[in-house]
Amino acid sequence: MVNHSLSRRQMLATDNKDTSSASCLTGNPIDDCWRCDANWASNRQRLADCGIGFGSSAMGGKGGQIYVVTDSSDSDPVNPKPGTLRYATLQEEPLWIIFSGDMTIKLRYELIVNDYKTIDGRGANVHITGGGCITLQYVSHVIIHNIHVHHCYPTGNTNIRSSPTHVGWRTKSDGDGISIFGAQNIWIDHCSLSYCTDGLIDATMGSTAITISNNHFSHHDDVMLLGHSDGYILDAGMQVTIAFNYFGEKLGQRMPRCRRGYIHVVNNHFTYWEIYAIGGSANPTINSQGNRYIAPADPNAKEVTKRVDTDQKDWTDWNWRTEGDIMVNGAFFVPSGEGLSTMYAKASSVEPKSAGLVQQLTMNAGVFGDPRDSESTGFSGGTTTSSASKGGVRDYFGMMFGGAAAPPPSSAALTTVLLSLVITLYSYAVVNHGAPLLQQLLLS
């Protein structure tokens, strides 16, 4: 039987805030909620209280035990080994899944995630790649945070276990990075996604209550699909928040591509597209607020928007608006429908911040510590639119459950800290004392 006493004590512990950490605040409400706590690794589940937007109710594994992944293998999709990520995600009880250290998990087949799970990569450099990759099918309350997802390709036509008591035949997957299928209360935050066969994130088949935030997307054509097909009526109720994301190098289109539903695109940084950024069909409501759109050099690809396979006479009454967005290098958004705010009530999920703050709000998008694309676009300014583990117990998992302390920092992280200290020392010496003092410090 799983021992829940440790997690209960953890959740009831007093939340001590270090006022001296105020300097770490960036204005990003998600990051500012937890990152300034020097002891965040001892209170990982606080993250579940930091969500925003339509997916803000996603609990993930809050209240459940900590599960530490120690084995990066994925050799048996029917009988996965204890200690593997696959073993953890198929369990039925809430689990907060962390990693013992840096690892690359090469999936043989899609990774099926059960209800009430958090996959938390903080404190480790975790890559998920290979067959699948991550499937959230008919589940709820899943949080995926600080994970690299890339080079995913179609696999299937095999039996895969989806719970401790069920094994089922799975047809060939699409090769999405993350597939959200008939799921709700889902939050994807601070992931870096690239190089997948199909979409990086696709949400279909009546999925709703989703937040996609603080992610870094790059090197992919069809980035994000929201909605199964034009004729699938259940997607009419879909609500998705897309906030504080960084759309980086070598992206083609679909950021997102929407079918039906209500989509709030708020405070994102769009730095590249080849065809278009935001597209749709079947009359979705799109509320674009406080974003920064940088158009590509191609004079035929300046438009942010695209009504896909639809004549103008059929989309003039669709509710698409741009409000407070910054348009750079000739980017332009073609609005339609009524600009009245009442028409966007179901597509409004978080108060937008000024688009002038977008670069700051998205400065840490993607996995923490990742190198960012070259941001030297050669463009500045732009026009603004408006319509206005310590301790623990062992149980049948055969793994260590306990206080969720962060794994030791990697050598790369230590190198970064040391380099930062050297730069700070150099700046101080030169500005305040001149080069001679710097030479003395370096030689001492």
Side-chain angles (χ1 to χ4, degrees):
M1 180 176 180
V2 176
N3 186 331
H4 292 275
S5 61
L6 284 173
S7 64
R8 283 201 298 268
R9 289 199 297 271
Q10 182 183 31
M11 298 309 297
L12 292 172
T14 302
D15 183 16
N16 297 316
K17 294 186 178 180
D18 182 0
T19 56
S20 66
S21 64
S23 60
C24 78
L25 298 175
T26 64
N28 183 310
I30 298 172
D31 294 350
D32 291 350
C33 176
W34 67 269
R35 284 195 78 202
C36 292
D37 180 2
N39 297 314
W40 66 263
S42 298
N43 189 16
R44 285 176 176 268
Q45 295 189 9
R46 180 181 178 183
L47 177 67
D49 300 324
C50 299
I52 63 163
F54 292 124
S56 61
S57 295
M59 294 177 62
K62 181 180 178 181
Q65 288 293 330
I66 301 297
Y67 188 103
V68 184
V69 175
T70 59
D71 186 341
S72 64
S73 69
D74 187 47
S75 57
D76 190 343
V78 174
N79 295 299
K81 293 189 296 183
T84 62
L85 178 60
R86 186 178 296 276
Y87 189 94
T89 60
L90 63 81
Q91 302 304 319
E92 292 181 337
E93 62 266 56
L95 289 177
W96 198 278
I97 302 165
I98 67 174
F99 300 83
S100 62
D102 299 351
M103 60 181 68
T104 297
I105 299 172
K106 297 180 179 179
L107 299 171
R108 291 186 63 195
Y109 301 101
E110 58 185 321
L111 180 74
I112 299 177
V113 181
N114 214 333
D115 300 290
Y116 293 95
K117 300 292 180 292
T118 297
I119 302 176
D120 180 1
R122 288 176 295 177
N125 187 15
V126 180
H127 293 252
I128 295 177
T129 184
C133 284
I134 300 173
T135 296
L136 314 179
Q137 182 170 341
Y138 299 127
V139 296
S140 61
H141 294 284
V142 175
I143 299 173
I144 302 175
H145 181 84
N146 210 56
I147 302 290
H148 299 88
V149 182
H150 56 92
H151 293 93
C152 303
Y153 53 83
T155 55
N157 295 323
T158 190
N159 284 314
I160 299 177
R161 184 175 295 278
S162 58
S163 77
T165 59
H166 181 264
V167 175
W169 180 261
R170 303 289 297 184
T171 58
K172 196 170 187 178
S173 64
D174 292 333
D176 294 330
I178 301 174
S179 173
I180 306 170
F181 188 102
Q184 58 185 344
N185 292 308
I186 306 298
W187 182 20
I188 313 298
D189 186 56
H190 272 294
C191 293
S192 295
L193 303 104
S194 60
Y195 294 110
C196 293
T197 300
D198 196 28
L200 294 180
I201 299 177
D202 283 3
T204 61
M205 303 300 288
S207 297
T208 192
I210 299 166
T211 293
I212 299 169
S213 58
N214 290 314
N215 300 290
H216 181 194
F217 302 95
S218 66
H219 299 93
H220 195 78
D221 183 13
D222 297 334
V223 178
M224 189 186 312
L225 174 66
L226 305 177
H228 175 63
S229 67
D230 288 359
Y232 193 75
I233 301 300
L234 290 181
D235 283 331
M238 175 183 288
Q239 290 181 298
V240 180
T241 300
I242 301 171
F244 311 128
N245 299 287
Y246 185 90
F247 294 89
E249 291 182 337
K250 303 300 181 183
L251 296 176
Q253 57 189 321
R254 297 188 176 187
M255 296 170 249
R257 190 259 201 249
C258 316
R259 294 183 174 115
R260 303 182 178 275
Y262 301 89
I263 315 302
H264 194 190
V265 183
V266 55
N267 291 141
N268 301 279
H269 197 182
F270 295 84
T271 70
Y272 189 89
W273 64 83
E274 291 184 357
I275 302 175
Y276 66 86
I278 297 175
S281 59
N283 193 13
T285 296
I286 297 177
N287 187 13
S288 174
Q289 294 182 300
N291 301 284
R292 187 169 189 257
Y293 296 99
I294 304 176
D298 183 352
N300 298 313
K302 300 293 187 182
E303 183 177 348
V304 171
T305 49
K306 180 178 177 64
R307 279 73 173 179
V308 181
D309 298 328
T310 308
D311 293 334
Q312 183 171 350
K313 63 181 177 60
D314 296 321
W315 59 255
T316 53
D317 61 344
W318 294 2
N319 290 317
W320 291 25
R321 77 168 175 182
T322 172
E323 184 176 66
D325 293 323
I326 290 179
M327 303 290 171
V328 182
N329 194 37
F332 66 97
F333 186 113
V334 178
S336 58
E338 300 184 39
L340 301 176
S341 59
T342 54
M343 305 302 295
Y344 294 89
K346 291 184 178 180
S348 299
S349 59
V350 61
E351 188 68 25
K353 296 179 180 291
S354 169
L357 300 175
V358 160
Q359 288 171 285
Q360 177 179 332
L361 295 170
T362 62
M363 63 186 295
N364 294 314
V367 170
F368 288 109
D370 264 9
R372 178 58 61 80
D373 302 344
S374 171
E375 294 188 34
S376 178
T377 59
F379 307 113
S380 60
T383 59
T384 304
T385 66
S386 63
S387 51
S389 107
K390 287 182 180 180
V393 294
R394 293 186 182 274
D395 61 8
Y396 71 93
F397 285 112
M399 290 305 303
M400 185 64 72
F401 291 82
S410 65
S411 58
L414 292 174
T415 300
T416 301
V417 172
L418 291 173
L419 181 59
S420 298
L421 290 173
V422 170
I423 293 172
T424 302
L425 177 62
Y426 175 85
S427 300
Y428 174 82
V430 171
V431 172
N432 295 283
H433 301 283
L437 176 59
L438 178 62
Q439 294 173 356
Q440 295 176 21
L441 289 171
L442 292 175
L443 293 174
S444 62

